[in-house]
């Protein structure tokens, strides 16, 4: 369904904020959420008046074909990366995407304009996470880089450190016991990764990094010190996720391992989730309550495990042939699971009883394998905004209706309103667009 509307001119007052707004602004029909991984600031700026003008908007919802299937069209195709898009993160009013071409782009939501770009020349980017006012990026050169918004120019990300830090390195390099053998006749400090860093996750003041060197390292955000290095797997680590004090690592050895710690103790193994024999697990995701864990495999399966609340016992409860070729990424949005594959498609699945997955639909449109996925936590027009990055160098934005919306598409009339400021202070950026989602029968 295509909807177009004429709008009036209105004026609103809103506080200005630093570069990245910590949480989506609460608007009509939209749930407001905040995240500890969003970039934010504790400093409040004086309120500033801005003039907003509403323009004609056309919005394409999935349409029902004669066969009964729904076709999905991207709301936007964002082209700006010089290499394949390898990872992305949602940060309040912004999207950060990074590529194997070494560049990181900040996109402004919801108009999806390129706001700024940084990180060129610092090694192919494999993963990124945000927390507080910092962005952590993992690179193929086995280093983690830490970025902050420059105080001299609020629109520029400034490199402030590289992990391991020089201080951490100098404190350990003189002692032989701090070295480990990474390959024949070659040693490194235990705080250094010996191969490409493939994944990052953040939890409770700590950053976790997984690498092709088979180790999981733990970094303290407050002083950027490496606290632990865990020989976690027998093959490369491909994915990490943290929930309720447990960190899950997915590996090419076909296993997902659960790690936890008690108090100030080191992390210990809490459980092993066995996948298909000799099949690499490329990604891992966990439900909000920590009860269900899903992994995407190189054989095209999405596997699901049910865990006990003491994180001791796990059982495989779901085996879904999601794609004909490798599943490269998965993400969750409420009761929906999305799977991105080397077949260039995105599968949409609904979590049923006992962790089973039922197929809802397929999104196609990428011209290369789908490498990364993120779903917005906010409900927009009775559905989700889904962001996908592919090896075709593009970032695409999709609107995916909830199942109840799909059943009533012909009965309901949806409107999506974009509110755009006619002027914008880049020195004290406000969230420049707001979604107003209206529904009526």
């Amino acid at each position: 369904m295509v909807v177009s509307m004429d709008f009036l001119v209105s004026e609103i007052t809103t506080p200005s904020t630093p570069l990245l707004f910590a949480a989506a602004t609460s608007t009509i029909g939209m749930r407001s959420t905040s995240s500890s991984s969003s970039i934010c600031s504790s400093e409040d700026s004086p309120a500033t008046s801005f003039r907003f003008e509403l323009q004609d908007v056309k919005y394409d919802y999935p349409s029902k074909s004669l066969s009964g299937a729904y076709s999905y069209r991207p709301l936007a195709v964002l082209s700006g990366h010089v290499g394949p898009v390898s990872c992305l993160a949602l940060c309040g009013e912004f999207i950060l995407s990074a590529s194997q071409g070494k560049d990181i782009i900040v996109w402004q939501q919801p108009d999806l304009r390129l706001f700024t770009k940084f990180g060129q020349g610092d090694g192919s980017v494999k993963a990124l996470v945000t927390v507080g006012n910092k962005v952590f990026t993992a690179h193929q050169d086995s280093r983690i880089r830490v970025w902050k918004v420059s105080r001299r120019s609020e629109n520029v990300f400034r490199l402030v450190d590289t992990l391991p830090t020089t201080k951490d390195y100098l404190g350990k390099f003189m002692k032989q016991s701090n070295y480990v053998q990474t390959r024949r006749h070659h040693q490194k400090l235990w705080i250094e990764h010996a191969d490409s860093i493939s994944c990052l996750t953040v939890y409770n003041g700590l950053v976790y990094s997984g690498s092709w060197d088979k180790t999981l390292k733990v970094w303290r955000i407050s002083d950027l010190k490496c606290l632990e290095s865990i020989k976690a797997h027998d093959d490369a680590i491909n994915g990490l996720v943290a929930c309720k004090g447990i960190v899950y690592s997915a590996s090419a050895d076909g296993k997902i391992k659960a790690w936890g710690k008690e108090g100030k103790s080191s992390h210990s193994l809490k459980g092993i989730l066995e996948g298909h024999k000799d099949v690499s697990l490329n990604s891992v995701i966990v439900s909000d309550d920590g009860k269900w864990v899903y992994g995407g495999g190189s054989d095209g399966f999405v596997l699901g495990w049910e865990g006990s609340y003491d994180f001791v016992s796990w059982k495989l409860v779901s085996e879904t042939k999601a794609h004909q070729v490798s599943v490269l990424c998965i993400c969750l949005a409420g009761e929906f699971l999305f799977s991105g594959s080397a077949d260039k498609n995105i599968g949409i699945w609904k979590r049923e009883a006992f962790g089973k997955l039922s197929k809802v639909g397929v999104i196609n449109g990428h011209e290369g394998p789908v490498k990364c996925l993120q779903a917005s936590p906010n409900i927009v027009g009775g559905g989700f905004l889904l962001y996908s990055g592919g090896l075709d160098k593009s970032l695409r934005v999709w609107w995916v209706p909830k199942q109840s919306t799909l059943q009533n598409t012909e009965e309901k009339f949806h409107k999506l309103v974009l509110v755009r400021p006619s002027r914008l202070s880049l020195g004290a950026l406000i969230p420049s667009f707001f979604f107003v989602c209206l529904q009526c029968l």
Side-chain angles (χ1 to χ4, degrees):
M1 180 183 295
V2 179
V3 181
S4 63
M5 293 168 282
D6 294 326
F7 299 131
L8 303 175
V9 176
S10 63
E11 188 158 326
I12 67 170
T13 301
T14 182
S16 61
T17 66
L19 177 62
L20 293 184
F21 191 64
T25 303
S26 179
T27 55
I28 300 173
M30 183 175 183
R31 189 163 48 88
S32 176
T33 62
S34 61
S35 170
S36 61
S37 63
S38 297
I39 300 178
C40 60
S41 172
S42 59
E43 298 177 358
D44 292 325
S45 302
T48 306
S49 177
F50 289 87
R51 178 171 295 277
F52 286 72
E53 58 186 11
L54 298 167
Q55 300 183 335
D56 291 348
V57 176
K58 290 186 177 181
Y59 186 75
D60 291 329
Y61 280 85
S63 56
K64 191 172 183 179
S65 65
L66 295 177
S67 64
Y70 287 85
S71 61
Y72 296 86
R73 300 172 184 170
L75 300 182
V77 178
L78 308 182
S79 300
H81 285 290
V82 298
V85 179
S86 54
C87 54
L88 60 94
L90 303 182
C91 308
E93 297 295 318
F94 292 84
I95 310 165
L96 270 67
S97 60
S99 86
Q100 296 177 21
K102 308 176 184 179
D103 55 328
I104 304 164
I105 297 179
V106 181
W107 306 92
Q108 184 176 320
Q109 293 195 87
D111 66 326
L112 302 172
R113 295 177 182 175
L114 193 156
F115 181 72
T116 190
K117 183 183 286 192
F118 66 99
Q120 296 93 332
D122 291 320
S124 178
V125 185
K126 309 296 287 185
L128 67 87
V129 293
T130 66
V131 57
N133 61 349
K134 296 184 176 71
V135 179
F136 293 82
T137 57
H139 297 254
Q140 192 169 357
D141 63 5
S142 73
R143 306 299 294 275
I144 299 172
R145 291 173 173 83
V146 187
W147 310 82
K148 288 178 67 174
V149 177
S150 172
R151 292 187 178 275
R152 294 186 297 273
S153 174
E154 288 187 349
N155 305 316
V156 177
F157 283 80
R158 182 170 58 92
L159 180 65
V160 294
D161 229 322
T162 303
L163 306 185
T165 63
T166 302
K167 181 180 178 181
D168 207 2
Y169 188 91
L170 293 176
K172 295 180 173 63
F173 87 102
M174 291 291 291
K175 195 172 182 179
Q176 186 60 37
S177 61
N178 286 325
Y179 287 84
V180 294
Q181 186 168 331
T182 56
R183 57 182 183 269
R184 189 177 181 184
H185 306 308
H186 191 82
Q187 290 186 327
K188 275 185 174 286
L189 288 174
W190 65 266
I191 61 175
E192 297 179 280
H193 277 297
D195 206 335
S196 177
I197 302 173
S198 56
C199 46
L200 296 171
T201 193
V202 177
Y203 187 82
N204 196 28
L206 301 173
V207 172
Y208 299 84
S209 60
S211 169
W212 292 352
D213 67 9
K214 311 172 189 177
T215 67
L216 170 65
K217 296 191 190 298
V218 186
W219 312 82
R220 189 164 54 206
I221 294 173
S222 59
D223 59 2
L224 303 178
K225 183 179 181 180
C226 186
L227 303 179
E228 297 179 56
S229 181
I230 304 167
K231 177 62 171 66
H233 287 273
D234 296 325
D235 208 331
I237 298 176
N238 296 322
L240 286 174
V241 67
C243 179
K244 294 188 177 296
I246 301 295
V247 178
Y248 303 86
S249 57
S251 171
D253 64 10
K255 299 180 178 66
I256 294 174
K257 293 187 178 182
W259 308 90
K261 59 180 297 185
E262 304 294 335
K264 296 183 178 180
S265 64
S266 299
H267 286 77
S268 59
L269 184 63
K270 299 296 183 181
I272 299 177
L273 290 66
E274 296 277 357
H276 291 166
K277 186 177 180 181
D278 299 325
V279 173
S280 171
L281 288 172
N282 300 321
S283 55
V284 59
I285 198 70
V286 60
S287 61
D288 289 340
D289 59 7
K291 186 177 180 181
W292 309 101
V293 176
Y294 294 91
S298 60
D299 58 355
F301 276 83
V302 174
L303 305 179
W305 293 266
E306 179 183 9
S308 60
Y309 286 101
D310 57 6
F311 304 107
V312 174
S313 60
W314 300 85
K315 59 181 179 180
L316 182 64
V317 295
S318 174
E319 297 180 71
T320 304
K321 182 63 173 176
H323 299 270
Q324 292 303 312
V325 291
S326 181
V327 176
L328 302 179
C329 53
I330 52 177
C331 74
L332 284 173
E335 61 187 0
F336 290 90
L337 183 146
F338 303 95
S339 58
S341 171
D343 64 9
K344 309 177 186 179
N345 296 326
I346 301 168
I348 309 173
W349 312 86
K350 185 179 180 183
R351 290 191 295 138
E352 305 286 1
F354 309 109
K356 302 290 185 181
L357 297 177
S358 62
K359 190 171 186 177
V360 174
V362 176
I363 297 174
N364 53 58
H366 274 285
E367 297 174 1
V370 180
K371 188 64 175 66
C372 50
L373 290 170
Q374 285 285 339
S376 171
N378 297 309
I379 301 298
V380 177
F384 301 99
L385 287 180
L386 179 68
Y387 306 85
S388 61
L391 300 190
D392 57 7
K393 304 181 184 180
S394 74
L395 174 66
R396 297 176 187 243
V397 186
W398 314 83
W399 181 80
V400 181
K402 297 175 69 174
Q403 193 170 27
S404 58
T405 306
L406 277 172
Q407 295 169 351
N408 298 291
T409 299
E410 298 178 354
E411 301 175 10
K412 288 190 176 183
F413 180 72
H414 299 274
K415 298 178 182 179
L416 182 68
V417 181
L418 290 179
V419 186
R420 188 173 63 155
S422 56
R423 62 189 178 90
L424 179 65
S425 170
L426 295 184
L429 181 70
I430 66 165
S432 60
F433 280 72
F434 302 94
F435 275 125
V436 181
C437 307
L438 308 177
Q439 284 190 0
C440 57
L441 293 177

